[in-house]
Amino acid sequence: MARRKNMQRRREILDNTFRLIRIQGFDHVSLQMIAEKSGISKSLLQSYYPHKARLMSDIVRNLFNTMWDQVDANYHATTKNPFARVKALIYTIASLGMEDKGLDRVISEAFTNQSSLDNWSKMLDEWMKSHDAFAEYSNYQEIRTGIAFIVTGVGRLYRDRGKHHLNAEQMADYATSSLMFSFVHADKDTIDEVLAEGHGIINDASTEDVRHAIDTMFDEGKTIYS
């Protein structure tokens, strides 16, 4: 019973923090504000989350996994190419951030804060291991390095997208092409095939479904990643 209550409180804290950051931005949300919105004391909040950085990391982790689940749900090919998934994921992140000011506040913080960037790389690495993604490639370690590299690169492109006049799919194409060319040494035709397959995943996706999944990711019954 106590464990269930603790999990329910954690859900409420994460959900309230996520909503506050979407409205006001990370820098303008304090632990006291989160505690008050959650109906608990600041000291109790800090027994779960001692500082905002840990809260942000858990929000990013859950946002990432929710988006990734949506990519998988719209990928209907029998054999699923991991690089096509990477393109679709990057597109999903960038397009939602560009369309939704609230999500942009969360995503921009994730791409600005070094601990959040490290967290994205770690989550991708964990996903690769648990799903045997890229298992057929002999240079698995090199691909892991490449993932960390493109996460940082995508973050910079996303933050400077106005200066570079890039849309979400262009960002996803640049990142995926760089990963494949530099770290898998793929040729142009192979890269073009993957980008086209990733485009198909994007076309099959419902933006409303993705938004709903994000808005309800901390609801009762949903898996919480921490």
Side-chain angles (χ1 to χ4, degrees), residues 18-26 56 59-60 62-64 66-67 92-111 120 158 161 207-208 210-218:
F18 181 52
R19 293 178 188 280
L20 284 169
I21 293 173
R22 287 179 74 170
I23 295 169
Q24 302 191 44
F26 182 78
M56 190 65 197
I59 288 169
V60 169
N62 283 276
L63 182 62
F64 168 88
T66 298
M67 289 182 177
T92 301
I93 295 166
S95 63
L96 287 175
M98 292 166 73
E99 294 167 7
D100 185 316
K101 288 184 178 179
L103 283 176
D104 179 50
R105 292 185 180 101
V106 178
I107 292 167
S108 293
E109 178 63 27
F111 279 140
W120 284 81
Y158 180 81
R161 61 189 181 276
T207 302
E208 290 307 310
V210 179
R211 288 182 186 278
H212 177 72
I214 291 170
D215 289 339
T216 60
M217 65 184 177
F218 296 119

Side-chain angles (χ1 to χ4, degrees), residues 166-178:
L166 296 174
N167 62 35
E169 187 158 12
Q170 287 172 326
M171 278 186 254
D173 283 348
Y174 278 128
T176 308
S177 299
S178 296

Side-chain angles (χ1 to χ4, degrees), residues 112-124:
T112 301
N113 184 290
Q114 187 57 51
S115 64
S116 293
L117 280 172
D118 291 343
N119 202 28
W120 284 81
S121 298
K122 182 180 178 182
M123 286 185 290
L124 278 165

Side-chain angles (χ1 to χ4, degrees), residues 5-193:
K5 184 177 180 180
N6 286 340
M7 179 54 70
Q8 180 59 35
R9 181 160 285 151
R10 190 179 294 274
R11 287 180 187 278
E12 293 172 359
I13 291 169
L14 288 169
D15 189 40
N16 289 328
T17 305
F18 181 52
R19 293 178 188 280
L20 284 169
I21 293 173
R22 287 179 74 170
I23 295 169
Q24 302 191 44
F26 182 78
D27 290 340
H28 300 289
V29 173
S30 66
L31 289 176
Q32 185 62 45
M33 291 168 63
I34 296 167
E36 289 176 1
K37 188 169 181 61
S38 302
I40 59 177
S41 67
K42 183 179 176 181
S43 59
L44 181 55
L45 169 63
Q46 289 181 294
S47 71
Y48 289 90
Y49 291 99
H51 44 73
K52 284 201 305 178
R54 174 64 191 278
L55 267 166
M56 190 65 197
S57 291
D58 275 9
I59 288 169
V60 169
R61 183 178 292 271
N62 283 276
L63 182 62
F64 168 88
N65 279 286
T66 298
M67 289 182 177
W68 193 266
D69 288 345
Q70 290 299 304
V71 168
D72 269 355
N74 290 290
Y75 196 174
H76 307 299
T78 304
T79 303
K80 298 183 178 182
N81 188 296
F83 293 105
R85 290 182 180 186
V86 167
K87 170 179 171 171
L89 176 64
I90 293 170
Y91 170 85
T92 301
I93 295 166
S95 63
L96 287 175
M98 292 166 73
E99 294 167 7
D100 185 316
K101 288 184 178 179
L103 283 176
D104 179 50
R105 292 185 180 101
V106 178
I107 292 167
S108 293
E109 178 63 27
F111 279 140
T112 301
N113 184 290
Q114 187 57 51
S115 64
S116 293
L117 280 172
D118 291 343
N119 202 28
W120 284 81
S121 298
K122 182 180 178 182
M123 286 185 290
L124 278 165
D125 193 41
E126 289 173 353
W127 179 87
M128 289 166 64
K129 291 177 181 176
S130 64
H131 290 74
D132 289 328
F134 307 101
E136 70 268 30
Y137 294 93
S138 59
N139 60 334
Y140 177 74
Q141 183 59 49
E142 190 175 359
I143 294 173
R144 290 175 62 189
T145 301
I147 291 289
F149 174 80
I150 67 161
V151 166
T152 303
V154 167
R156 184 172 293 279
L157 286 176
Y158 180 81
R159 296 194 305 272
D160 297 337
R161 61 189 181 276
K163 180 173 67 177
H164 299 299
H165 306 291
L166 296 174
N167 62 35
E169 187 158 12
Q170 287 172 326
M171 278 186 254
D173 283 348
Y174 278 128
T176 308
S177 299
S178 296
L179 178 63
M180 295 184 69
F181 180 79
S182 299
F183 296 93
V184 188
H185 315 297
D187 59 39
K188 184 179 183 302
D189 289 343
T190 301
I191 293 172
D192 287 345
E193 287 176 10

